PDB file of all heavy atoms in Angstrom:
ATOM      1  N   VAL A 643     -23.781  19.459  12.449  1.00 90.00           N
ATOM      2  CA  VAL A 643     -22.792  18.466  12.696  1.00 90.00           C
ATOM      3  C   VAL A 643     -21.650  18.470  11.508  1.00 90.00           C
ATOM      4  O   VAL A 643     -22.011  18.339  10.465  1.00 90.00           O
ATOM      5  CB  VAL A 643     -23.347  17.119  12.741  1.00 90.00           C
ATOM      6  CG1 VAL A 643     -22.295  16.010  13.040  1.00 90.00           C
ATOM      7  CG2 VAL A 643     -24.510  16.970  13.739  1.00 90.00           C
ATOM      8  N   PHE A 644     -20.404  18.726  11.927  1.00 88.00           N
ATOM      9  CA  PHE A 644     -19.301  18.632  10.983  1.00 88.00           C
ATOM     10  C   PHE A 644     -18.913  17.160  10.840  1.00 88.00           C
ATOM     11  O   PHE A 644     -18.433  16.503  11.853  1.00 88.00           O
ATOM     12  CB  PHE A 644     -18.047  19.438  11.531  1.00 88.00           C
ATOM     13  CG  PHE A 644     -18.354  20.925  11.678  1.00 88.00           C
ATOM     14  CD1 PHE A 644     -17.890  21.557  12.811  1.00 88.00           C
ATOM     15  CD2 PHE A 644     -19.164  21.510  10.734  1.00 88.00           C
ATOM     16  CE1 PHE A 644     -18.057  22.987  12.981  1.00 88.00           C
ATOM     17  CE2 PHE A 644     -19.471  22.959  11.016  1.00 88.00           C
ATOM     18  CZ  PHE A 644     -18.910  23.586  12.032  1.00 88.00           C
ATOM     19  N   VAL A 645     -19.110  16.572   9.725  1.00 86.00           N
ATOM     20  CA  VAL A 645     -18.818  15.154   9.498  1.00 86.00           C
ATOM     21  C   VAL A 645     -17.537  14.995   8.731  1.00 86.00           C
ATOM     22  O   VAL A 645     -17.308  15.655   7.689  1.00 86.00           O
ATOM     23  CB  VAL A 645     -20.049  14.486   8.659  1.00 86.00           C
ATOM     24  CG1 VAL A 645     -19.753  13.013   8.449  1.00 86.00           C
ATOM     25  CG2 VAL A 645     -21.305  14.684   9.403  1.00 86.00           C
ATOM     26  N   CYS A 646     -16.619  14.120   9.270  1.00 79.00           N
ATOM     27  CA  CYS A 646     -15.383  13.843   8.583  1.00 79.00           C
ATOM     28  C   CYS A 646     -15.327  12.255   8.491  1.00 79.00           C
ATOM     29  O   CYS A 646     -15.503  11.573   9.481  1.00 79.00           O
ATOM     30  CB  CYS A 646     -14.202  14.397   9.426  1.00 79.00           C
ATOM     31  SG  CYS A 646     -12.582  13.968   8.694  1.00 79.00           S
ATOM     32  N   ILE A 647     -14.885  11.812   7.270  1.00 76.00           N
ATOM     33  CA  ILE A 647     -14.795  10.413   7.134  1.00 76.00           C
ATOM     34  C   ILE A 647     -13.412   9.947   7.635  1.00 76.00           C
ATOM     35  O   ILE A 647     -12.412  10.596   7.315  1.00 76.00           O
ATOM     36  CB  ILE A 647     -14.967  10.044   5.660  1.00 76.00           C
ATOM     37  CG1 ILE A 647     -16.291  10.508   5.093  1.00 76.00           C
ATOM     38  CG2 ILE A 647     -14.818   8.545   5.439  1.00 76.00           C
ATOM     39  CD1 ILE A 647     -17.375   9.815   5.638  1.00 76.00           C
ATOM     40  N   LYS A 648     -13.369   8.886   8.503  1.00 71.00           N
ATOM     41  CA  LYS A 648     -12.103   8.415   8.997  1.00 71.00           C
ATOM     42  C   LYS A 648     -12.158   6.886   8.711  1.00 71.00           C
ATOM     43  O   LYS A 648     -13.071   6.137   8.927  1.00 71.00           O
ATOM     44  CB  LYS A 648     -12.102   8.682  10.474  1.00 71.00           C
ATOM     45  CG  LYS A 648     -10.756   8.120  11.113  1.00 71.00           C
ATOM     46  CD  LYS A 648      -9.673   9.124  10.977  1.00 71.00           C
ATOM     47  CE  LYS A 648      -8.483   8.732  11.758  1.00 71.00           C
ATOM     48  NZ  LYS A 648      -7.360   9.613  11.603  1.00 71.00           N
ATOM     49  N   TYR A 649     -11.002   6.414   8.193  1.00 63.00           N
ATOM     50  CA  TYR A 649     -10.815   5.025   7.936  1.00 63.00           C
ATOM     51  C   TYR A 649      -9.899   4.260   9.032  1.00 63.00           C
ATOM     52  O   TYR A 649      -8.880   4.796   9.374  1.00 63.00           O
ATOM     53  CB  TYR A 649     -10.136   4.655   6.543  1.00 63.00           C
ATOM     54  CG  TYR A 649     -10.978   5.288   5.413  1.00 63.00           C
ATOM     55  CD1 TYR A 649     -10.624   6.625   4.919  1.00 63.00           C
ATOM     56  CD2 TYR A 649     -11.915   4.522   4.901  1.00 63.00           C
ATOM     57  CE1 TYR A 649     -11.471   7.153   3.970  1.00 63.00           C
ATOM     58  CE2 TYR A 649     -12.724   5.188   3.777  1.00 63.00           C
ATOM     59  CZ  TYR A 649     -12.437   6.372   3.371  1.00 63.00           C
ATOM     60  OH  TYR A 649     -13.258   6.920   2.394  1.00 63.00           O
ATOM     61  N   VAL A 650     -10.441   3.120   9.492  1.00 61.00           N
ATOM     62  CA  VAL A 650      -9.771   2.437  10.557  1.00 61.00           C
ATOM     63  C   VAL A 650      -9.390   1.041   9.959  1.00 61.00           C
ATOM     64  O   VAL A 650     -10.116   0.513   9.116  1.00 61.00           O
ATOM     65  CB  VAL A 650     -10.617   2.282  11.872  1.00 61.00           C
ATOM     66  CG1 VAL A 650     -10.755   3.630  12.500  1.00 61.00           C
ATOM     67  CG2 VAL A 650     -11.966   1.674  11.512  1.00 61.00           C
ATOM     68  N   PRO A 651      -8.223   0.441  10.433  1.00 48.00           N
ATOM     69  CA  PRO A 651      -7.787  -0.745   9.910  1.00 48.00           C
ATOM     70  C   PRO A 651      -8.536  -2.045  10.298  1.00 48.00           C
ATOM     71  O   PRO A 651      -7.946  -2.953  10.973  1.00 48.00           O
ATOM     72  CB  PRO A 651      -6.271  -0.841  10.297  1.00 48.00           C
ATOM     73  CG  PRO A 651      -6.299  -0.066  11.611  1.00 48.00           C
ATOM     74  CD  PRO A 651      -7.409   0.996  11.428  1.00 48.00           C
ATOM     75  N   VAL A 652      -9.758  -2.196  10.055  1.00 55.00           N
ATOM     76  CA  VAL A 652     -10.586  -3.351  10.257  1.00 55.00           C
ATOM     77  C   VAL A 652     -11.508  -3.585   9.096  1.00 55.00           C
ATOM     78  O   VAL A 652     -11.752  -2.647   8.405  1.00 55.00           O
ATOM     79  CB  VAL A 652     -11.588  -3.159  11.531  1.00 55.00           C
ATOM     80  CG1 VAL A 652     -10.764  -3.051  12.877  1.00 55.00           C
ATOM     81  CG2 VAL A 652     -12.372  -1.976  11.427  1.00 55.00           C
ATOM     82  N   PRO A 653     -11.939  -4.815   8.893  1.00 50.00           N
ATOM     83  CA  PRO A 653     -12.664  -5.055   7.705  1.00 50.00           C
ATOM     84  C   PRO A 653     -14.033  -4.315   7.808  1.00 50.00           C
ATOM     85  O   PRO A 653     -14.399  -3.735   6.727  1.00 50.00           O
ATOM     86  CB  PRO A 653     -12.865  -6.552   7.712  1.00 50.00           C
ATOM     87  CG  PRO A 653     -11.820  -7.105   8.595  1.00 50.00           C
ATOM     88  CD  PRO A 653     -11.527  -6.019   9.528  1.00 50.00           C
ATOM     89  N   PHE A 654     -14.825  -4.430   8.827  1.00 64.00           N
ATOM     90  CA  PHE A 654     -16.070  -3.761   8.907  1.00 64.00           C
ATOM     91  C   PHE A 654     -16.170  -3.185  10.296  1.00 64.00           C
ATOM     92  O   PHE A 654     -15.687  -3.597  11.284  1.00 64.00           O
ATOM     93  CB  PHE A 654     -17.197  -4.799   8.771  1.00 64.00           C
ATOM     94  CG  PHE A 654     -17.218  -5.609   7.456  1.00 64.00           C
ATOM     95  CD1 PHE A 654     -16.701  -6.724   7.261  1.00 64.00           C
ATOM     96  CD2 PHE A 654     -17.859  -4.892   6.360  1.00 64.00           C
ATOM     97  CE1 PHE A 654     -16.672  -7.365   6.052  1.00 64.00           C
ATOM     98  CE2 PHE A 654     -17.875  -5.580   5.122  1.00 64.00           C
ATOM     99  CZ  PHE A 654     -17.328  -6.789   5.035  1.00 64.00           C
ATOM    100  N   VAL A 655     -16.831  -1.990  10.285  1.00 72.00           N
ATOM    101  CA  VAL A 655     -17.196  -1.291  11.525  1.00 72.00           C
ATOM    102  C   VAL A 655     -18.662  -1.540  11.780  1.00 72.00           C
ATOM    103  O   VAL A 655     -19.489  -1.049  10.882  1.00 72.00           O
ATOM    104  CB  VAL A 655     -16.909   0.149  11.503  1.00 72.00           C
ATOM    105  CG1 VAL A 655     -17.290   0.876  12.770  1.00 72.00           C
ATOM    106  CG2 VAL A 655     -15.494   0.475  11.184  1.00 72.00           C
ATOM    107  N   PRO A 656     -19.146  -2.161  12.959  1.00 77.00           N
ATOM    108  CA  PRO A 656     -20.469  -2.295  13.256  1.00 77.00           C
ATOM    109  C   PRO A 656     -21.248  -0.985  13.228  1.00 77.00           C
ATOM    110  O   PRO A 656     -20.617   0.016  13.595  1.00 77.00           O
ATOM    111  CB  PRO A 656     -20.488  -2.857  14.607  1.00 77.00           C
ATOM    112  CG  PRO A 656     -19.125  -3.633  14.810  1.00 77.00           C
ATOM    113  CD  PRO A 656     -18.194  -2.649  14.037  1.00 77.00           C
ATOM    114  N   PRO A 657     -22.440  -0.908  12.798  1.00 71.00           N
ATOM    115  CA  PRO A 657     -23.211   0.315  12.661  1.00 71.00           C
ATOM    116  C   PRO A 657     -23.337   1.053  14.086  1.00 71.00           C
ATOM    117  O   PRO A 657     -23.353   2.226  14.197  1.00 71.00           O
ATOM    118  CB  PRO A 657     -24.596  -0.001  12.285  1.00 71.00           C
ATOM    119  CG  PRO A 657     -24.408  -1.356  11.430  1.00 71.00           C
ATOM    120  CD  PRO A 657     -23.292  -2.057  12.162  1.00 71.00           C
ATOM    121  N   SER A 658     -23.357   0.286  15.171  1.00 70.00           N
ATOM    122  CA  SER A 658     -23.466   0.923  16.492  1.00 70.00           C
ATOM    123  C   SER A 658     -22.240   1.595  16.901  1.00 70.00           C
ATOM    124  O   SER A 658     -22.208   2.414  17.882  1.00 70.00           O
ATOM    125  CB  SER A 658     -23.769  -0.257  17.617  1.00 70.00           C
ATOM    126  OG  SER A 658     -22.793  -1.249  17.581  1.00 70.00           O
ATOM    127  N   GLU A 659     -21.087   1.228  16.261  1.00 75.00           N
ATOM    128  CA  GLU A 659     -19.772   1.897  16.578  1.00 75.00           C
ATOM    129  C   GLU A 659     -19.288   2.822  15.422  1.00 75.00           C
ATOM    130  O   GLU A 659     -18.098   3.149  15.416  1.00 75.00           O
ATOM    131  CB  GLU A 659     -18.700   0.821  16.866  1.00 75.00           C
ATOM    132  CG  GLU A 659     -19.178  -0.179  17.971  1.00 75.00           C
ATOM    133  CD  GLU A 659     -18.125  -1.277  18.157  1.00 75.00           C
ATOM    134  OE1 GLU A 659     -17.014  -1.161  17.478  1.00 75.00           O
ATOM    135  OE2 GLU A 659     -18.436  -2.290  18.838  1.00 75.00           O
ATOM    136  N   ARG A 660     -20.201   3.253  14.469  1.00 74.00           N
ATOM    137  CA  ARG A 660     -19.769   4.032  13.440  1.00 74.00           C
ATOM    138  C   ARG A 660     -19.297   5.406  13.690  1.00 74.00           C
ATOM    139  O   ARG A 660     -18.408   5.867  13.137  1.00 74.00           O
ATOM    140  CB  ARG A 660     -20.992   4.051  12.428  1.00 74.00           C
ATOM    141  CG  ARG A 660     -20.755   4.883  11.158  1.00 74.00           C
ATOM    142  CD  ARG A 660     -20.033   4.153  10.106  1.00 74.00           C
ATOM    143  NE  ARG A 660     -20.718   2.969   9.644  1.00 74.00           N
ATOM    144  CZ  ARG A 660     -20.245   1.885   9.166  1.00 74.00           C
ATOM    145  NH1 ARG A 660     -18.945   1.832   9.068  1.00 74.00           N
ATOM    146  NH2 ARG A 660     -20.920   0.942   8.621  1.00 74.00           N
ATOM    147  N   PHE A 661     -19.935   6.039  14.738  1.00 78.00           N
ATOM    148  CA  PHE A 661     -19.734   7.455  14.803  1.00 78.00           C
ATOM    149  C   PHE A 661     -19.076   7.744  16.120  1.00 78.00           C
ATOM    150  O   PHE A 661     -19.308   7.114  17.209  1.00 78.00           O
ATOM    151  CB  PHE A 661     -21.147   8.167  14.819  1.00 78.00           C
ATOM    152  CG  PHE A 661     -21.902   7.913  13.600  1.00 78.00           C
ATOM    153  CD1 PHE A 661     -22.963   7.124  13.594  1.00 78.00           C
ATOM    154  CD2 PHE A 661     -21.476   8.507  12.308  1.00 78.00           C
ATOM    155  CE1 PHE A 661     -23.663   6.807  12.320  1.00 78.00           C
ATOM    156  CE2 PHE A 661     -22.184   8.234  11.164  1.00 78.00           C
ATOM    157  CZ  PHE A 661     -23.336   7.373  11.221  1.00 78.00           C
ATOM    158  N   LEU A 662     -18.329   8.816  16.119  1.00 81.00           N
ATOM    159  CA  LEU A 662     -17.593   9.399  17.319  1.00 81.00           C
ATOM    160  C   LEU A 662     -17.845  10.820  17.306  1.00 81.00           C
ATOM    161  O   LEU A 662     -17.499  11.571  16.417  1.00 81.00           O
ATOM    162  CB  LEU A 662     -16.092   9.003  17.170  1.00 81.00           C
ATOM    163  CG  LEU A 662     -15.243   9.334  18.429  1.00 81.00           C
ATOM    164  CD1 LEU A 662     -15.643   8.289  19.552  1.00 81.00           C
ATOM    165  CD2 LEU A 662     -13.797   9.206  18.028  1.00 81.00           C
ATOM    166  N   PHE A 663     -18.315  11.356  18.437  1.00 84.00           N
ATOM    167  CA  PHE A 663     -18.785  12.713  18.498  1.00 84.00           C
ATOM    168  C   PHE A 663     -17.889  13.582  19.513  1.00 84.00           C
ATOM    169  O   PHE A 663     -17.377  13.088  20.444  1.00 84.00           O
ATOM    170  CB  PHE A 663     -20.222  12.787  19.021  1.00 84.00           C
ATOM    171  CG  PHE A 663     -21.134  12.404  17.938  1.00 84.00           C
ATOM    172  CD1 PHE A 663     -21.614  11.077  17.777  1.00 84.00           C
ATOM    173  CD2 PHE A 663     -21.752  13.393  17.134  1.00 84.00           C
ATOM    174  CE1 PHE A 663     -22.480  10.761  16.761  1.00 84.00           C
ATOM    175  CE2 PHE A 663     -22.674  13.105  16.018  1.00 84.00           C
ATOM    176  CZ  PHE A 663     -23.014  11.700  15.921  1.00 84.00           C
ATOM    177  N   ARG A 664     -17.928  14.715  19.296  1.00 86.00           N
ATOM    178  CA  ARG A 664     -17.324  15.809  20.180  1.00 86.00           C
ATOM    179  C   ARG A 664     -18.112  17.043  20.017  1.00 86.00           C
ATOM    180  O   ARG A 664     -18.371  17.462  18.908  1.00 86.00           O
ATOM    181  CB  ARG A 664     -15.814  15.870  19.933  1.00 86.00           C
ATOM    182  CG  ARG A 664     -15.133  17.087  20.783  1.00 86.00           C
ATOM    183  CD  ARG A 664     -13.784  17.183  20.449  1.00 86.00           C
ATOM    184  NE  ARG A 664     -12.976  16.035  20.850  1.00 86.00           N
ATOM    185  CZ  ARG A 664     -11.708  15.802  20.410  1.00 86.00           C
ATOM    186  NH1 ARG A 664     -11.201  16.639  19.588  1.00 86.00           N
ATOM    187  NH2 ARG A 664     -11.148  14.677  20.855  1.00 86.00           N
ATOM    188  N   ARG A 665     -18.222  17.823  21.170  1.00 86.00           N
ATOM    189  CA  ARG A 665     -18.861  19.130  21.112  1.00 86.00           C
ATOM    190  C   ARG A 665     -17.882  20.211  20.658  1.00 86.00           C
ATOM    191  O   ARG A 665     -16.706  20.154  21.177  1.00 86.00           O
ATOM    192  CB  ARG A 665     -19.547  19.459  22.446  1.00 86.00           C
ATOM    193  CG  ARG A 665     -20.490  20.582  22.476  1.00 86.00           C
ATOM    194  CD  ARG A 665     -21.058  20.929  23.810  1.00 86.00           C
ATOM    195  NE  ARG A 665     -21.741  19.740  24.289  1.00 86.00           N
ATOM    196  CZ  ARG A 665     -23.019  19.608  24.062  1.00 86.00           C
ATOM    197  NH1 ARG A 665     -23.744  20.530  23.299  1.00 86.00           N
ATOM    198  NH2 ARG A 665     -23.772  18.665  24.571  1.00 86.00           N
TER     199      ARG A 665
END
Side-chain angles (χ1 to χ4, degrees):
V643 181
F644 299 142
V645 181
C646 177
I647 303 296
K648 181 80 172 178
Y649 298 94
V650 292
V652 294
F654 297 98
V655 176
S658 60
E659 302 175 11
R660 175 79 68 208
F661 304 104
L662 190 68
F663 285 90
R664 175 182 292 164
R665 194 181 295 275

